[in-house]
Amino acid sequence: MKKEKLDLYRENLIELQESHVLEKKELETDYLHGSQKEESGDLSAYSLHLADLAADTNEKEKNIRIISTLSDTLFEIDEALYRIEHGNYGICEECGKEIPEARLDVIPYAHFCIECKKVKGKGNNK
Ligand SMILES: [Zn+2]
């Protein structure tokens, strides 16, 4: 891969990393803030409060899922940046072929080419 292209992906990855870190921070703040809201709930609207609690719980579960996905992605981004530094970025870890740039444009931290990803995806919905 050309150095210019590699620099571009590095930039993309760093940008992605920053936005993910920010998003994760926001969600974590929301999460902490949400538990404070529960404790100071308005008892005069008890049934409403219960509905709020349920919504809060759903919201929290959703937040935790998103936070964990963001953490996973941040880990992938770190790895991709490491690969850029060590000159093996954009190489499929399964077949050793170059991952098409069209794929890296969408997922700059991809480990596998589309073909290998398809094969690996079988029997595993991840
Ligand atoms: Zn492959």
PDB file of all heavy atoms in Angstrom, residues 78-105:
ATOM      1  N   ASP A  78      -6.923   0.389  17.891  1.00  0.00           N
ATOM      2  CA  ASP A  78      -5.566   0.336  18.437  1.00  0.00           C
ATOM      3  C   ASP A  78      -4.721  -0.664  17.668  1.00  0.00           C
ATOM      4  O   ASP A  78      -3.580  -0.396  17.307  1.00  0.00           O
ATOM      5  CB  ASP A  78      -5.608  -0.104  19.910  1.00  0.00           C
ATOM      6  CG  ASP A  78      -5.684   1.082  20.851  1.00  0.00           C
ATOM      7  OD1 ASP A  78      -5.501   2.221  20.385  1.00  0.00           O
ATOM      8  OD2 ASP A  78      -5.919   0.867  22.052  1.00  0.00           O
ATOM      9  N   GLU A  79      -5.307  -1.834  17.443  1.00  0.00           N
ATOM     10  CA  GLU A  79      -4.598  -2.896  16.732  1.00  0.00           C
ATOM     11  C   GLU A  79      -4.260  -2.480  15.306  1.00  0.00           C
ATOM     12  O   GLU A  79      -3.170  -2.757  14.816  1.00  0.00           O
ATOM     13  CB  GLU A  79      -5.441  -4.170  16.716  1.00  0.00           C
ATOM     14  CG  GLU A  79      -5.413  -4.914  18.025  1.00  0.00           C
ATOM     15  CD  GLU A  79      -5.763  -6.375  17.852  1.00  0.00           C
ATOM     16  OE1 GLU A  79      -6.481  -6.696  16.876  1.00  0.00           O
ATOM     17  OE2 GLU A  79      -5.336  -7.179  18.670  1.00  0.00           O
ATOM     18  N   ALA A  80      -5.218  -1.833  14.657  1.00  0.00           N
ATOM     19  CA  ALA A  80      -5.009  -1.388  13.277  1.00  0.00           C
ATOM     20  C   ALA A  80      -3.883  -0.355  13.217  1.00  0.00           C
ATOM     21  O   ALA A  80      -3.028  -0.402  12.331  1.00  0.00           O
ATOM     22  CB  ALA A  80      -6.305  -0.823  12.705  1.00  0.00           C
ATOM     23  N   LEU A  81      -3.867   0.568  14.186  1.00  0.00           N
ATOM     24  CA  LEU A  81      -2.803   1.577  14.233  1.00  0.00           C
ATOM     25  C   LEU A  81      -1.454   0.900  14.456  1.00  0.00           C
ATOM     26  O   LEU A  81      -0.446   1.288  13.869  1.00  0.00           O
ATOM     27  CB  LEU A  81      -3.095   2.606  15.346  1.00  0.00           C
ATOM     28  CG  LEU A  81      -4.226   3.588  15.042  1.00  0.00           C
ATOM     29  CD1 LEU A  81      -4.637   4.349  16.294  1.00  0.00           C
ATOM     30  CD2 LEU A  81      -3.820   4.580  13.949  1.00  0.00           C
ATOM     31  N   TYR A  82      -1.451  -0.129  15.275  1.00  0.00           N
ATOM     32  CA  TYR A  82      -0.239  -0.904  15.524  1.00  0.00           C
ATOM     33  C   TYR A  82       0.230  -1.560  14.226  1.00  0.00           C
ATOM     34  O   TYR A  82       1.413  -1.545  13.898  1.00  0.00           O
ATOM     35  CB  TYR A  82      -0.542  -1.958  16.597  1.00  0.00           C
ATOM     36  CG  TYR A  82       0.643  -2.826  16.975  1.00  0.00           C
ATOM     37  CD1 TYR A  82       1.511  -2.439  17.995  1.00  0.00           C
ATOM     38  CD2 TYR A  82       0.882  -4.037  16.322  1.00  0.00           C
ATOM     39  CE1 TYR A  82       2.588  -3.228  18.346  1.00  0.00           C
ATOM     40  CE2 TYR A  82       1.964  -4.836  16.668  1.00  0.00           C
ATOM     41  CZ  TYR A  82       2.818  -4.428  17.680  1.00  0.00           C
ATOM     42  OH  TYR A  82       3.876  -5.222  18.017  1.00  0.00           O
ATOM     43  N   ARG A  83      -0.733  -2.107  13.465  1.00  0.00           N
ATOM     44  CA  ARG A  83      -0.387  -2.755  12.196  1.00  0.00           C
ATOM     45  C   ARG A  83       0.186  -1.750  11.203  1.00  0.00           C
ATOM     46  O   ARG A  83       1.089  -2.064  10.443  1.00  0.00           O
ATOM     47  CB  ARG A  83      -1.614  -3.479  11.602  1.00  0.00           C
ATOM     48  CG  ARG A  83      -2.032  -4.709  12.395  1.00  0.00           C
ATOM     49  CD  ARG A  83      -2.906  -5.643  11.571  1.00  0.00           C
ATOM     50  NE  ARG A  83      -4.196  -5.069  11.199  1.00  0.00           N
ATOM     51  CZ  ARG A  83      -5.280  -5.088  11.953  1.00  0.00           C
ATOM     52  NH1 ARG A  83      -5.251  -5.656  13.129  1.00  0.00           N
ATOM     53  NH2 ARG A  83      -6.401  -4.541  11.539  1.00  0.00           N
ATOM     54  N   ILE A  84      -0.362  -0.522  11.229  1.00  0.00           N
ATOM     55  CA  ILE A  84       0.168   0.509  10.334  1.00  0.00           C
ATOM     56  C   ILE A  84       1.638   0.773  10.682  1.00  0.00           C
ATOM     57  O   ILE A  84       2.500   0.813   9.807  1.00  0.00           O
ATOM     58  CB  ILE A  84      -0.667   1.809  10.434  1.00  0.00           C
ATOM     59  CG1 ILE A  84      -2.036   1.614   9.768  1.00  0.00           C
ATOM     60  CG2 ILE A  84       0.082   2.980   9.780  1.00  0.00           C
ATOM     61  CD1 ILE A  84      -2.947   2.823   9.802  1.00  0.00           C
ATOM     62  N   GLU A  85       1.926   0.894  11.980  1.00  0.00           N
ATOM     63  CA  GLU A  85       3.300   1.171  12.419  1.00  0.00           C
ATOM     64  C   GLU A  85       4.238   0.023  12.047  1.00  0.00           C
ATOM     65  O   GLU A  85       5.422   0.219  11.813  1.00  0.00           O
ATOM     66  CB  GLU A  85       3.353   1.407  13.943  1.00  0.00           C
ATOM     67  CG  GLU A  85       2.584   2.627  14.428  1.00  0.00           C
ATOM     68  CD  GLU A  85       2.889   3.900  13.629  1.00  0.00           C
ATOM     69  OE1 GLU A  85       4.061   4.135  13.290  1.00  0.00           O
ATOM     70  OE2 GLU A  85       1.936   4.654  13.320  1.00  0.00           O
ATOM     71  N   HIS A  86       3.723  -1.185  12.008  1.00  0.00           N
ATOM     72  CA  HIS A  86       4.566  -2.353  11.775  1.00  0.00           C
ATOM     73  C   HIS A  86       4.483  -2.888  10.351  1.00  0.00           C
ATOM     74  O   HIS A  86       4.977  -3.975  10.061  1.00  0.00           O
ATOM     75  CB  HIS A  86       4.249  -3.450  12.798  1.00  0.00           C
ATOM     76  CG  HIS A  86       4.685  -3.066  14.170  1.00  0.00           C
ATOM     77  ND1 HIS A  86       3.936  -2.210  14.968  1.00  0.00           N
ATOM     78  CD2 HIS A  86       5.803  -3.365  14.876  1.00  0.00           C
ATOM     79  CE1 HIS A  86       4.579  -2.023  16.105  1.00  0.00           C
ATOM     80  NE2 HIS A  86       5.701  -2.693  16.088  1.00  0.00           N
ATOM     81  N   GLY A  87       3.843  -2.112   9.486  1.00  0.00           N
ATOM     82  CA  GLY A  87       3.881  -2.419   8.062  1.00  0.00           C
ATOM     83  C   GLY A  87       3.060  -3.604   7.602  1.00  0.00           C
ATOM     84  O   GLY A  87       3.240  -4.082   6.491  1.00  0.00           O
ATOM     85  N   ASN A  88       2.158  -4.102   8.441  1.00  0.00           N
ATOM     86  CA  ASN A  88       1.313  -5.199   7.950  1.00  0.00           C
ATOM     87  C   ASN A  88      -0.169  -4.823   7.955  1.00  0.00           C
ATOM     88  O   ASN A  88      -1.040  -5.659   8.125  1.00  0.00           O
ATOM     89  CB  ASN A  88       1.558  -6.499   8.725  1.00  0.00           C
ATOM     90  CG  ASN A  88       1.427  -6.306  10.218  1.00  0.00           C
ATOM     91  OD1 ASN A  88       1.270  -5.191  10.697  1.00  0.00           O
ATOM     92  ND2 ASN A  88       1.484  -7.384  10.961  1.00  0.00           N
ATOM     93  N   TYR A  89      -0.406  -3.538   7.771  1.00  0.00           N
ATOM     94  CA  TYR A  89      -1.784  -3.059   7.713  1.00  0.00           C
ATOM     95  C   TYR A  89      -2.409  -3.389   6.360  1.00  0.00           C
ATOM     96  O   TYR A  89      -1.740  -3.317   5.328  1.00  0.00           O
ATOM     97  CB  TYR A  89      -1.820  -1.551   7.939  1.00  0.00           C
ATOM     98  CG  TYR A  89      -3.198  -0.953   7.805  1.00  0.00           C
ATOM     99  CD1 TYR A  89      -4.142  -1.118   8.810  1.00  0.00           C
ATOM    100  CD2 TYR A  89      -3.556  -0.242   6.667  1.00  0.00           C
ATOM    101  CE1 TYR A  89      -5.398  -0.583   8.689  1.00  0.00           C
ATOM    102  CE2 TYR A  89      -4.825   0.304   6.538  1.00  0.00           C
ATOM    103  CZ  TYR A  89      -5.742   0.121   7.556  1.00  0.00           C
ATOM    104  OH  TYR A  89      -6.985   0.645   7.430  1.00  0.00           O
ATOM    105  N   GLY A  90      -3.694  -3.751   6.378  1.00  0.00           N
ATOM    106  CA  GLY A  90      -4.417  -3.987   5.126  1.00  0.00           C
ATOM    107  C   GLY A  90      -4.170  -5.362   4.528  1.00  0.00           C
ATOM    108  O   GLY A  90      -4.526  -5.610   3.379  1.00  0.00           O
ATOM    109  N   ILE A  91      -3.549  -6.254   5.324  1.00  0.00           N
ATOM    110  CA  ILE A  91      -3.315  -7.615   4.862  1.00  0.00           C
ATOM    111  C   ILE A  91      -4.283  -8.529   5.596  1.00  0.00           C
ATOM    112  O   ILE A  91      -4.372  -8.486   6.830  1.00  0.00           O
ATOM    113  CB  ILE A  91      -1.859  -8.067   5.174  1.00  0.00           C
ATOM    114  CG1 ILE A  91      -0.837  -7.064   4.633  1.00  0.00           C
ATOM    115  CG2 ILE A  91      -1.612  -9.479   4.657  1.00  0.00           C
ATOM    116  CD1 ILE A  91      -0.723  -7.001   3.129  1.00  0.00           C
ATOM    117  N   CYS A  92      -4.996  -9.349   4.833  1.00  0.00           N
ATOM    118  CA  CYS A  92      -5.950 -10.268   5.436  1.00  0.00           C
ATOM    119  C   CYS A  92      -5.201 -11.260   6.333  1.00  0.00           C
ATOM    120  O   CYS A  92      -4.211 -11.872   5.912  1.00  0.00           O
ATOM    121  CB  CYS A  92      -6.726 -11.011   4.359  1.00  0.00           C
ATOM    122  SG  CYS A  92      -7.798 -12.295   5.021  1.00  0.00           S
ATOM    123  N   GLU A  93      -5.676 -11.414   7.568  1.00  0.00           N
ATOM    124  CA  GLU A  93      -4.983 -12.285   8.516  1.00  0.00           C
ATOM    125  C   GLU A  93      -5.230 -13.759   8.221  1.00  0.00           C
ATOM    126  O   GLU A  93      -4.574 -14.632   8.776  1.00  0.00           O
ATOM    127  CB  GLU A  93      -5.435 -11.961   9.947  1.00  0.00           C
ATOM    128  CG  GLU A  93      -4.846 -10.658  10.443  1.00  0.00           C
ATOM    129  CD  GLU A  93      -5.376 -10.246  11.803  1.00  0.00           C
ATOM    130  OE1 GLU A  93      -5.932 -11.095  12.512  1.00  0.00           O
ATOM    131  OE2 GLU A  93      -5.221  -9.056  12.135  1.00  0.00           O
ATOM    132  N   GLU A  94      -6.198 -14.007   7.362  1.00  0.00           N
ATOM    133  CA  GLU A  94      -6.527 -15.395   7.051  1.00  0.00           C
ATOM    134  C   GLU A  94      -5.768 -15.881   5.812  1.00  0.00           C
ATOM    135  O   GLU A  94      -5.063 -16.879   5.859  1.00  0.00           O
ATOM    136  CB  GLU A  94      -8.043 -15.518   6.835  1.00  0.00           C
ATOM    137  CG  GLU A  94      -8.551 -16.936   6.701  1.00  0.00           C
ATOM    138  CD  GLU A  94      -8.460 -17.728   7.999  1.00  0.00           C
ATOM    139  OE1 GLU A  94      -8.435 -17.101   9.087  1.00  0.00           O
ATOM    140  OE2 GLU A  94      -8.386 -18.961   7.925  1.00  0.00           O
ATOM    141  N   CYS A  95      -5.896 -15.151   4.704  1.00  0.00           N
ATOM    142  CA  CYS A  95      -5.310 -15.630   3.443  1.00  0.00           C
ATOM    143  C   CYS A  95      -4.051 -14.853   3.043  1.00  0.00           C
ATOM    144  O   CYS A  95      -3.374 -15.215   2.093  1.00  0.00           O
ATOM    145  CB  CYS A  95      -6.355 -15.582   2.327  1.00  0.00           C
ATOM    146  SG  CYS A  95      -6.877 -13.907   1.913  1.00  0.00           S
ATOM    147  N   GLY A  96      -3.745 -13.771   3.772  1.00  0.00           N
ATOM    148  CA  GLY A  96      -2.519 -13.022   3.491  1.00  0.00           C
ATOM    149  C   GLY A  96      -2.597 -12.104   2.283  1.00  0.00           C
ATOM    150  O   GLY A  96      -1.603 -11.475   1.918  1.00  0.00           O
ATOM    151  N   LYS A  97      -3.778 -12.037   1.665  1.00  0.00           N
ATOM    152  CA  LYS A  97      -3.940 -11.129   0.515  1.00  0.00           C
ATOM    153  C   LYS A  97      -4.257  -9.726   1.018  1.00  0.00           C
ATOM    154  O   LYS A  97      -4.668  -9.542   2.163  1.00  0.00           O
ATOM    155  CB  LYS A  97      -5.086 -11.617  -0.378  1.00  0.00           C
ATOM    156  CG  LYS A  97      -4.739 -12.845  -1.190  1.00  0.00           C
ATOM    157  CD  LYS A  97      -5.920 -13.190  -2.095  1.00  0.00           C
ATOM    158  CE  LYS A  97      -5.811 -14.625  -2.602  1.00  0.00           C
ATOM    159  NZ  LYS A  97      -7.124 -15.190  -2.927  1.00  0.00           N
ATOM    160  N   GLU A  98      -4.093  -8.768   0.095  1.00  0.00           N
ATOM    161  CA  GLU A  98      -4.430  -7.399   0.477  1.00  0.00           C
ATOM    162  C   GLU A  98      -5.943  -7.246   0.619  1.00  0.00           C
ATOM    163  O   GLU A  98      -6.699  -7.751  -0.211  1.00  0.00           O
ATOM    164  CB  GLU A  98      -3.907  -6.421  -0.571  1.00  0.00           C
ATOM    165  CG  GLU A  98      -2.430  -6.139  -0.403  1.00  0.00           C
ATOM    166  CD  GLU A  98      -1.950  -5.012  -1.309  1.00  0.00           C
ATOM    167  OE1 GLU A  98      -2.795  -4.277  -1.858  1.00  0.00           O
ATOM    168  OE2 GLU A  98      -0.733  -4.891  -1.472  1.00  0.00           O
ATOM    169  N   ILE A  99      -6.359  -6.548   1.660  1.00  0.00           N
ATOM    170  CA  ILE A  99      -7.785  -6.256   1.817  1.00  0.00           C
ATOM    171  C   ILE A  99      -8.107  -5.103   0.864  1.00  0.00           C
ATOM    172  O   ILE A  99      -7.396  -4.093   0.856  1.00  0.00           O
ATOM    173  CB  ILE A  99      -8.104  -5.858   3.281  1.00  0.00           C
ATOM    174  CG1 ILE A  99      -7.713  -6.999   4.235  1.00  0.00           C
ATOM    175  CG2 ILE A  99      -9.576  -5.484   3.431  1.00  0.00           C
ATOM    176  CD1 ILE A  99      -7.821  -6.636   5.703  1.00  0.00           C
ATOM    177  N   PRO A 100      -9.163  -5.244   0.024  1.00  0.00           N
ATOM    178  CA  PRO A 100      -9.484  -4.173  -0.936  1.00  0.00           C
ATOM    179  C   PRO A 100      -9.704  -2.835  -0.233  1.00  0.00           C
ATOM    180  O   PRO A 100     -10.290  -2.791   0.853  1.00  0.00           O
ATOM    181  CB  PRO A 100     -10.782  -4.662  -1.582  1.00  0.00           C
ATOM    182  CG  PRO A 100     -10.846  -6.109  -1.303  1.00  0.00           C
ATOM    183  CD  PRO A 100     -10.085  -6.359  -0.046  1.00  0.00           C
ATOM    184  N   GLU A 101      -9.222  -1.770  -0.871  1.00  0.00           N
ATOM    185  CA  GLU A 101      -9.345  -0.452  -0.250  1.00  0.00           C
ATOM    186  C   GLU A 101     -10.802  -0.045  -0.045  1.00  0.00           C
ATOM    187  O   GLU A 101     -11.122   0.677   0.902  1.00  0.00           O
ATOM    188  CB  GLU A 101      -8.582   0.580  -1.080  1.00  0.00           C
ATOM    189  CG  GLU A 101      -7.077   0.385  -0.919  1.00  0.00           C
ATOM    190  CD  GLU A 101      -6.264   1.367  -1.736  1.00  0.00           C
ATOM    191  OE1 GLU A 101      -6.854   2.237  -2.398  1.00  0.00           O
ATOM    192  OE2 GLU A 101      -5.027   1.257  -1.695  1.00  0.00           O
ATOM    193  N   ALA A 102     -11.679  -0.534  -0.924  1.00  0.00           N
ATOM    194  CA  ALA A 102     -13.105  -0.207  -0.781  1.00  0.00           C
ATOM    195  C   ALA A 102     -13.619  -0.699   0.577  1.00  0.00           C
ATOM    196  O   ALA A 102     -14.486  -0.067   1.189  1.00  0.00           O
ATOM    197  CB  ALA A 102     -13.909  -0.849  -1.901  1.00  0.00           C
ATOM    198  N   ARG A 103     -13.078  -1.825   1.023  1.00  0.00           N
ATOM    199  CA  ARG A 103     -13.484  -2.368   2.321  1.00  0.00           C
ATOM    200  C   ARG A 103     -12.845  -1.569   3.462  1.00  0.00           C
ATOM    201  O   ARG A 103     -13.500  -1.266   4.460  1.00  0.00           O
ATOM    202  CB  ARG A 103     -13.066  -3.843   2.404  1.00  0.00           C
ATOM    203  CG  ARG A 103     -13.313  -4.479   3.751  1.00  0.00           C
ATOM    204  CD  ARG A 103     -13.349  -5.992   3.638  1.00  0.00           C
ATOM    205  NE  ARG A 103     -13.235  -6.659   4.917  1.00  0.00           N
ATOM    206  CZ  ARG A 103     -14.225  -6.783   5.780  1.00  0.00           C
ATOM    207  NH1 ARG A 103     -15.398  -6.282   5.488  1.00  0.00           N
ATOM    208  NH2 ARG A 103     -14.060  -7.401   6.922  1.00  0.00           N
ATOM    209  N   LEU A 104     -11.573  -1.221   3.288  1.00  0.00           N
ATOM    210  CA  LEU A 104     -10.876  -0.451   4.319  1.00  0.00           C
ATOM    211  C   LEU A 104     -11.455   0.957   4.453  1.00  0.00           C
ATOM    212  O   LEU A 104     -11.387   1.564   5.520  1.00  0.00           O
ATOM    213  CB  LEU A 104      -9.382  -0.377   4.005  1.00  0.00           C
ATOM    214  CG  LEU A 104      -8.609  -1.693   4.166  1.00  0.00           C
ATOM    215  CD1 LEU A 104      -7.189  -1.535   3.659  1.00  0.00           C
ATOM    216  CD2 LEU A 104      -8.607  -2.171   5.601  1.00  0.00           C
ATOM    217  N   ASP A 105     -12.022   1.457   3.350  1.00  0.00           N
ATOM    218  CA  ASP A 105     -12.657   2.780   3.407  1.00  0.00           C
ATOM    219  C   ASP A 105     -13.857   2.757   4.350  1.00  0.00           C
ATOM    220  O   ASP A 105     -14.154   3.736   5.022  1.00  0.00           O
ATOM    221  CB  ASP A 105     -13.129   3.218   2.013  1.00  0.00           C
ATOM    222  CG  ASP A 105     -11.951   3.630   1.136  1.00  0.00           C
ATOM    223  OD1 ASP A 105     -10.862   3.903   1.697  1.00  0.00           O
ATOM    224  OD2 ASP A 105     -12.118   3.664  -0.093  1.00  0.00           O
TER     225      ASP A 105
END
